[in-house]
Amino acid sequence: MAKDLRLDFDGALKELWERDRPSLLHSLTGGVAIQKTLNVELPSVQVRRADIVYLLADGTILHVEFQSSNDRDIAYRQGIYCLLLGQRHRCVVRQVVLYVGRARMTMPDLLEIGGTTVRFGLLDIRSIPVDTLIKTGRPADLALSILAGGAHRMLPRIVAEAARLEGAERERVLVQLLVLSGLRGLPGKVEWEMKRMGVVIDATKNPVLMRYLREATERGKAEGREEGREEGREEGKAEMLEGQLQERFGSVPKWARVRIRRATATQLDLWSRKLLTAPNIDQVFGRR
C-alpha cells in the first residue's frame, strides 16, 4: 500500500454504526432502543471569549465570568469554556460566575449529563457586605462596592471615598461607579451625590468614555426593568405554589420551601402541574 494513501476511517466507521449497528452499540445504550440517528453535522464553532482568565502561581487556571442576568444555559457555557481552556493550557481549570444582576439569582451551579458533570463556583456579589469592600481601601473594591449588599444605603460614603482619591485613579473610579450603578438602577442617585459633593467628571474630553458611560447606563436600566418584572413573576409563582402545597398537604417542609425559592419559572410551572396528581409532597418535587 502506498505510504501517502489515506484511508477514510471516519467515513467507514460512521457508515458501519449508522447502517449496520454492531452489537457493541447495544451495550453502550444499555439496552435502550434507538429511536433514530441524529444529524451529526454540528454548527461551526463560534468565537468565544471568556470574561477574564488568570494563570495562577500553582499552574492552574482561574476563569471568572460576569453575569448580569439569570442564564438558564450558564452551566453549558461554563462547561464549554472549561474544556476549551483545559485543552489549550493542559491544566486544572477553576471557574467562578460572579452574578451582578438585580433579580434574585436562580442559576444552578451544577449540570449532570450522563457521565459528564459540570460544576463551578457561583457567587452573588450582594452576599458581600458593602462595608467589607469599602474598608479595604482598594480603588477596585470601592468601584465594586456599588453592587454589594446594602450599597444603596451607603451611597454618600461610597462617593465620598471615591472623591478622596487623586488624579486619573479618582476619575476612573468615579466613572466606574456611574457605569456599574446602572446595574442597580442608581445612576441618578450617584450623579446627585456627586453634584452635592462638588464632584465633576470631565468625560467629554474622552468620546469613547462618554459613549461607554451612556450605553452602559442605558443598558443597565433596561436590564434592571426586565429583571425586575421577571423577578416579580417568579416570586408570584413561588408564593402561589407554596400556598397550593399547604392547602393540599397541610404543611410545607423547610427543604421544599428552599427548593421553591431557588427554582426557575420553568421548574415552578412543572411542580404546579405535578401537584394536581401527586399523592404526596415528595412526588411533586421528585428525588431530593
Side-chain angles (χ1 to χ4, degrees):
M1 184 179 293
K3 291 183 180 180
D4 59 349
L5 179 61
R6 298 182 179 180
L7 300 177
D8 183 13
F9 294 117
D10 283 347
L13 286 169
K14 289 177 181 177
E15 182 180 23
L16 189 153
W17 283 71
E18 290 176 359
R19 180 177 176 177
D20 300 321
R21 296 184 177 178
S23 59
L24 177 57
L25 181 56
H26 178 81
S27 175
L28 295 179
T29 63
V32 179
I34 297 173
Q35 185 174 358
K36 65 177 179 179
T37 300
L38 299 175
N39 178 16
V40 295
E41 293 296 326
L42 300 176
S44 300
V45 177
Q46 297 179 353
V47 176
R48 296 184 181 274
R49 184 176 180 84
D51 282 340
I52 191 163
V53 180
Y54 299 101
L55 175 62
L56 305 184
D58 61 359
T60 63
I61 291 288
L62 174 63
H63 165 215
V64 181
E65 197 71 14
F66 308 116
Q67 192 65 31
S68 62
S69 60
N70 285 297
D71 181 1
R72 65 179 182 178
D73 292 330
I74 188 65
Y76 292 97
R77 287 175 47 210
Q78 291 300 100
I80 292 171
Y81 282 135
C82 184
L83 290 174
L84 293 176
L85 288 169
Q87 182 184 40
R88 171 174 291 186
H89 300 283
R90 304 290 173 171
C91 65
V92 173
V93 179
R94 187 162 57 87
Q95 296 176 291
V96 177
V97 173
L98 182 62
Y99 180 66
V100 296
R102 292 180 68 187
R104 179 170 59 93
M105 186 176 70
T106 59
M107 295 179 292
D109 60 358
L110 173 68
L111 173 67
E112 294 181 337
I113 307 177
T116 301
T117 300
V118 177
R119 186 188 297 273
F120 52 94
L122 187 58
L123 174 64
D124 188 336
I125 196 170
R126 288 171 298 194
S127 66
I128 304 174
V130 63
D131 278 341
T132 302
L133 294 177
I134 294 176
K135 290 177 179 178
T136 69
R138 299 174 62 88
D141 286 346
L142 187 57
L144 280 178
S145 69
I146 195 71
L147 302 175
H152 62 285
R153 298 191 298 269
M154 302 286 284
L155 277 180
R157 182 181 173 190
I158 293 172
V159 175
E161 293 291 338
R164 292 192 183 99
L165 300 173
E166 299 180 353
E169 190 172 65
R170 175 179 183 268
E171 184 164 325
R172 184 174 65 253
V173 172
L174 287 169
V175 169
Q176 289 170 341
L177 283 174
L178 268 175
V179 172
L180 295 177
S181 70
L183 292 168
R184 295 289 182 264
L186 297 173
K189 293 183 178 180
V190 172
E191 287 180 312
W192 186 87
E193 287 293 341
M194 288 183 178
K195 291 178 180 178
R196 187 176 67 85
M197 297 178 186
V199 175
V200 178
I201 300 177
D202 192 4
T204 59
K205 292 182 178 180
N206 189 325
V208 176
L209 179 61
M210 187 170 61
R211 176 175 57 82
Y212 174 69
L213 175 61
R214 183 179 63 252
E215 291 179 352
T217 301
E218 291 175 354
R219 184 170 61 251
K221 289 179 179 179
E223 290 178 352
R225 288 192 295 269
E226 179 57 32
E227 290 173 8
R229 286 193 291 268
E230 180 63 25
E231 182 179 16
R233 286 193 291 268
E234 289 185 0
E235 288 180 354
K237 288 182 178 180
E239 291 176 1
M240 181 177 295
L241 175 59
E242 193 167 331
Q244 291 173 329
L245 289 168
Q246 188 167 358
E247 182 69 23
R248 179 162 185 194
F249 300 114
S251 63
V252 182
K254 183 178 179 179
W255 63 263
R257 293 196 188 96
V258 171
R259 292 192 65 179
I260 290 172
R261 284 196 297 270
R262 295 177 178 175
T264 63
T266 301
Q267 289 174 316
L268 292 170
D269 289 338
L270 174 62
W271 292 336
S272 294
R273 290 194 296 271
K274 294 178 70 174
L275 171 66
L276 300 175
T277 57
N280 54 60
I281 200 166
D282 288 335
Q283 292 298 315
V284 174
F285 295 95
R287 187 176 60 183
R288 283 189 256 172

